[in-house]
Amino acid sequence: MNIVIQHHPETRCFLAQPQPGLHCRLDYERHGEQLIITHTGVPAQLRGQGLAGQLVEAAVRWLAPVPLQLVPGCSYVRHWLASHPRWQRLLTPAAAQRVLNEWFGVPGSVEDGQIQPKWFKKDAAFDASLRERFGEPVERALRGELREWDHTPWGALARLLLLDQFTRNIHRDTPKAFAGDALALPLSLDLLPRVQGMTVLERWFIAMPLEHAEDLSMQQRSVQWFETLAEEDERLKDALDYARRHREVIERFGRFPHRNRILGRESTAQEIDFLKQPGSGF
């Protein structure tokens, strides 16, 4: 049974009346950037028809773009989240969700689950926008802060994005573009066993610090990870190709020659020849 659900922010509830005299209700409290669902109720005559789940989905679709951190204060919401992992990232702090929403799109939006052109495109305007909106949390992450986000895999992924991706945009073509790598790699390794319920695109970026590492063993793990992802989702075949190309460079040089100029490293004659080839800088 599909029901019409109305949100009543003045009384902090979601209401539906599937039949005359029978009301379904979800109540919540809001404290700062947290939303606590305190009660979900469906009349006994209407139970077993998925109505409580519709109430919860209406609530999470409303709070996702705000965003707010969801706190499941009733057992039904905890049970619902266990069977709807796509919404579990709402359990992370709102600040972490803003990072995830920027990179992957708001859960339930048209961007959600789609590969974003902005991920690997050089765009000065996008870099400047990230710098303005996320420069402060990037600096905090670089100082080793925000570890409280790691309570959930999605929160840890948000911190990893700040260290491994946002740094490369905000500090493009400067040594600081790689300043988060030393923190991102162990975070990636810690996250790899915790990916149950995460999307293939989220798992893609969990593995990116392996691909960025100037270490052959990490490159081997990167390729293995992307082989698994590409088998699951053919959209990641190009990502697998890039992982293999990164591994080949580390096998050959032990480092990424295109970083030498930025990091003040002297290039060898072989590296100079390599850098003349198209695509050598990824």
Side-chain angles (χ1 to χ4, degrees):
M1 177 188 298
N2 292 320
I3 54 177
V4 176
I5 300 172
Q6 295 181 328
H7 181 204
H8 298 273
E10 69 283 358
T11 54
R12 299 181 297 279
C13 69
F14 287 80
L15 287 175
Q17 187 178 1
Q19 296 179 16
L22 296 178
H23 294 84
C24 304
R25 180 179 180 119
L26 179 149
D27 294 288
Y28 67 85
E29 298 176 1
R30 181 170 176 175
H31 300 280
E33 291 192 313
Q34 288 188 332
L35 183 136
I36 306 171
I37 297 180
T38 57
H39 174 71
T40 305
V42 173
Q45 304 95 308
L46 300 177
R47 289 176 186 169
Q49 301 184 56
L51 304 186
Q54 292 182 53
L55 286 170
V56 176
E57 184 166 350
V60 298
R61 286 187 179 277
W62 166 71
L63 68 89
V66 177
L68 296 172
Q69 180 182 14
L70 173 61
V71 179
C74 75
S75 59
Y76 179 81
V77 177
R78 290 191 290 271
H79 173 77
W80 187 86
L81 286 170
S83 57
H84 294 79
R86 66 180 299 202
W87 297 104
Q88 289 179 17
R89 82 187 218 197
L90 301 186
L91 298 171
T92 65
Q97 288 187 51
R98 284 191 279 272
V99 174
L100 297 170
N101 290 352
E102 170 61 41
W103 207 247
F104 299 109
V106 174
S109 70
V110 294
E111 292 182 323
D112 186 21
Q114 302 301 315
I115 293 175
Q116 306 296 319
K118 64 186 177 182
W119 287 344
F120 304 111
K121 179 182 178 181
K122 290 185 178 181
D123 184 332
F126 177 59
D127 291 350
S129 175
L130 279 185
R131 188 178 303 112
E132 178 181 355
R133 292 178 293 124
F134 295 99
E136 190 271 339
V138 165
E139 291 303 311
R140 291 189 62 191
L142 289 173
R143 293 196 298 267
E145 301 176 23
L146 305 179
R147 294 176 185 270
E148 65 274 14
W149 292 4
D150 297 359
H151 179 68
T152 71
W154 287 271
L157 172 58
R159 186 165 72 89
L160 186 148
L161 288 171
L162 293 178
L163 293 167
D164 184 70
Q165 295 296 321
F166 285 34
T167 46
R168 282 167 162 76
N169 290 90
I170 290 174
H171 301 293
R172 190 183 298 278
D173 297 327
T174 74
K176 206 167 182 179
F178 313 107
D181 289 11
L183 290 171
L185 183 58
L187 180 55
S188 171
L189 294 172
D190 179 67
L191 261 175
L192 291 178
R194 302 172 60 197
V195 298
Q196 184 176 2
M198 303 186 83
T199 69
V200 67
L201 299 186
E202 291 166 339
R203 285 180 277 145
W204 176 353
F205 283 93
I206 287 174
M208 285 302 292
L210 306 178
E211 186 173 314
H212 289 153
E214 294 184 316
D215 179 286
L216 185 55
S217 66
M218 294 298 100
Q219 291 294 327
Q220 298 283 18
R221 292 191 64 172
S222 169
V223 170
Q224 292 170 0
W225 187 260
F226 280 103
E227 286 174 344
T228 299
L229 294 181
E231 288 180 1
E232 181 177 339
D233 189 330
E234 64 179 10
R235 294 181 300 168
L236 272 72
K237 288 182 178 179
D238 287 344
L240 171 58
D241 178 63
Y242 270 91
R244 287 170 172 164
R245 288 170 57 191
H246 279 73
R247 181 181 62 181
E248 289 171 2
V249 173
I250 296 302
E251 284 177 331
R252 183 174 175 184
F253 299 108
R255 62 183 184 176
F256 293 115
H258 70 275
R259 297 183 186 178
N260 291 350
R261 178 186 58 82
I262 297 172
L263 296 176
R265 304 187 306 205
E266 185 175 353
S267 295
T268 66
Q270 292 81 5
E271 289 175 332
I272 292 173
D273 288 339
F274 171 75
L275 290 172
K276 295 176 182 178
Q277 301 175 17
S280 59
F282 298 103

